[in-house]
Amino acid sequence: MSVPVYNFSTCTRCRQLVGSCAGCTEGAFFDADGSVLLPLVYGHESIAGNMPMSSLPSVGCRECNAAFGYLHHVGCRAEVCPKCGGLIVECGCSLKWRPQIKA
Ligand SMILES: [Zn+2]
Ligand SMILES: [Zn+2]
Ligand SMILES: [Zn+2]
């Protein structure tokens, strides 16, 4: 069986059960220098060329079940860092999350 294993815990960002919703709540990352970085949605990896376009995902993120074009949940091991392009769980950018961007 190769059924995706989701981390069925409550996301600390959107308070929804990870794996049960289309994706995380909107917001932005703030870098230590104050600059704003928009989070990268699920599917960005394909758009960026890491994956052939023919393999665009038709199913949710294998880690957090976010739908194509939606945000990953906190702690998703597939989320890409908008600053360095690496995996957020592995990079050392330590970006801070804000739930909403104030206009
Ligand atoms: Zn979430
Ligand atoms: Zn994800
Ligand atoms: Zn990073």
Side-chain angles (χ1 to χ4, degrees):
M1 296 279 287
S2 60
V3 177
V5 178
Y6 306 128
N7 176 20
F8 282 99
S9 57
T10 305
C11 175
T12 57
R13 193 187 286 167
C14 65
R15 307 289 178 189
Q16 299 175 103
L17 194 64
V18 172
S20 70
C21 52
C24 206
T25 187
E26 291 192 14
F29 288 110
F30 283 71
D31 199 359
D33 66 2
S35 58
V36 179
L37 297 152
L38 292 177
L40 300 175
V41 299
Y42 173 52
H44 166 88
E45 302 88 341
S46 309
I47 298 160
N50 292 334
M51 222 190 285
M53 291 302 280
S54 57
S55 69
L56 279 177
S58 57
V59 295
C61 172
R62 69 184 185 277
E63 298 289 346
C64 72
N65 204 31
F68 184 80
Y70 286 80
L71 298 176
H72 295 279
H73 290 285
V74 164
C76 176
R77 287 175 293 171
E79 183 168 15
V80 174
C81 175
K83 185 180 182 185
C84 70
L87 294 176
I88 273 190
V89 292
E90 294 177 352
C91 81
C93 295
S94 301
L95 301 178
K96 290 185 171 54
W97 175 264
R98 299 277 173 81
Q100 286 173 329
I101 308 165
K102 286 195 173 157

